[in-house]
Amino acid sequence: MNLNVGVSRKIPVPLVLLCIFFAILPDFLDDYETFYIDDMAWFALLFPCFIFSYYLGLYGGVFTGIILNAYHLSWFFYEKKFHSEDMIDESAALHIGISVITLSCSIGVGVLTDKLQNKQLKIQELNERLMQMALYDSLTGLPNRHYFLRKLEHSLRKKKQACLMFIDLDGFKRVNDQYGHEAGDEVLIEVSRKLKELEDEDVFVSRLGGDEFTVLLKGANTHQAEALANRILKLLQLSVNDCRVSASIGIAVCQPDDTPATILKSADSAMYNAKLAGKNAVYVV
């Protein structure tokens, strides 16, 4: 049985105080003869055993069960010795039985808790994988088109200054044609690695698909965006044997009435103008 033992959660203070109350309750009841089932009151130890096993898992539950039962039996046999009673009788069997039950419950709840936590961790991992698949490009690890459009829409709603950069690789088709898609994938991965180096809280890089990438610059003006674009041009001077790869970059400034579709179209048009200007160039609209 594969258990993720040792995983624990913080126990709320009110529950800790309640556990302490239930731990000392049997000793308190024993002082009053009116409680004719005072021996049975030791079943109150089940409550702290359940609570600690649920929050601390198997190891925490077993440790709690051992401590509580050690306290329980030590108190019980001390009382019998103090009153010069027989150490082994029906009441002793009852108290030993209570100890076995409480310890068994600690183990059982602890095992179930650890299994539940394992299930929860697996579900969390699956959710993270699904999120990764839904929002990130599987080849490059960059945010994909869906994630980019969500980010762009959010940025436009805030009505703050921003620029969108549309990047298309020059010479990429020739790499695919001459050396195959594996070589092309290596180029895309290298381009993504270089673009990731530019990322910070104001720079969002994504891959739209194929050899098209976008860079969203929050709080940037045209001059800042153009300076970053020229830096990207230098970074994306790549070669695959005799094939040269560079980039054509179009920049569009986000306007108050822009939508994701309109600003993307403007940046795309600017990129094509950069291509027409001879490639490996930046064009601003």
Side-chain angles (χ1 to χ4, degrees):
M1 182 164 48
N2 184 19
L3 296 177
N4 187 21
V5 293
V7 177
S8 62
R9 293 170 290 176
K10 186 177 180 180
I11 306 176
V13 173
L15 279 182
V16 174
L17 297 176
L18 199 57
C19 288
I20 294 172
F21 169 75
F22 274 99
I24 64 176
L25 180 64
D27 195 12
F28 170 77
L29 294 179
D30 189 62
D31 293 335
Y32 294 88
E33 295 181 356
T34 54
F35 293 97
Y36 65 97
I37 57 169
D38 56 338
D39 284 346
M40 303 297 289
W42 285 98
F43 278 107
L45 294 181
L46 284 171
F47 181 82
C49 285
F50 281 141
I51 294 300
F52 275 77
S53 296
Y54 176 75
Y55 279 93
L56 302 183
L58 178 60
Y59 288 166
V62 170
F63 177 77
T64 303
I66 291 173
I67 294 298
L68 289 177
N69 284 313
Y71 160 67
H72 162 208
L73 293 178
S74 298
W75 174 88
F76 172 71
F77 285 112
Y78 170 78
E79 287 289 310
K80 291 184 75 67
K81 184 176 181 180
F82 181 79
H83 294 291
S84 300
E85 298 176 0
D86 291 337
M87 300 297 287
I88 303 298
D89 56 14
E90 291 183 359
S91 64
L94 173 63
H95 280 260
I96 291 172
I98 292 172
S99 295
V100 171
I101 291 171
T102 53
L103 186 58
S104 298
C105 288
S106 295
I107 294 172
V109 174
V111 168
L112 290 175
T113 297
D114 286 332
K115 294 181 81 171
L116 176 62
Q117 289 177 343
N118 273 338
K119 292 291 184 183
Q120 290 173 335
L121 288 174
K122 288 180 181 178
I123 291 173
Q124 184 179 343
E125 289 175 2
L126 287 174
N127 286 335
E128 289 175 355
R129 288 180 187 176
L130 289 174
M131 184 67 72
Q132 184 77 18
M133 291 170 63
L135 298 179
Y136 291 87
D137 176 56
S138 59
L139 175 65
T140 64
L142 286 177
N144 61 17
R145 184 185 188 92
H146 178 66
Y147 192 1
F148 159 71
L149 290 175
R150 281 174 50 180
K151 194 80 172 180
L152 179 59
E153 184 178 9
H154 177 72
S155 178
L156 292 173
R157 280 203 307 266
K158 295 178 74 173
K159 304 292 183 182
K160 292 186 177 180
Q161 188 176 27
C163 292
L164 178 61
M165 195 181 298
F166 196 107
I167 304 171
D168 186 87
L169 299 182
D170 307 319
F172 180 74
K173 185 177 183 300
R174 186 183 172 198
V175 172
N176 272 339
D177 292 343
Q178 288 193 212
Y179 298 104
H181 290 285
E182 288 187 4
D185 287 347
E186 289 298 321
V187 170
L188 294 175
I189 292 170
E190 179 64 13
V191 168
S192 300
R193 185 188 66 79
K194 290 179 178 295
L195 292 177
K196 283 178 185 178
E197 295 175 359
L198 307 174
E199 284 185 317
D200 59 32
E201 59 182 9
D202 294 323
V203 178
F204 183 80
V205 179
S206 64
R207 180 191 177 200
L208 286 188
D211 61 339
E212 296 177 339
F213 299 82
T214 57
V215 179
L216 179 62
L217 299 111
K218 294 182 289 184
N221 56 36
T222 305
H223 297 296
Q224 291 170 323
E226 194 169 2
L228 181 61
N230 285 314
R231 181 181 170 193
I232 291 174
L233 287 184
K234 294 178 181 178
L235 286 174
L236 300 187
Q237 299 299 312
L238 307 174
S239 61
V240 179
N241 296 327
D242 59 330
C243 295
R244 300 288 299 174
V245 176
S246 59
S248 294
I249 304 175
I251 300 174
V253 179
C254 297
Q255 303 299 327
D257 57 343
D258 267 327
T259 65
T262 59
I263 186 64
L264 188 59
K265 183 178 180 180
S266 296
D268 188 22
S269 298
M271 181 274 296
Y272 275 107
N273 285 327
K275 291 270 190 190
L276 293 174
K279 302 182 180 180
N280 190 31
V282 177
Y283 191 91
V284 182
V285 293

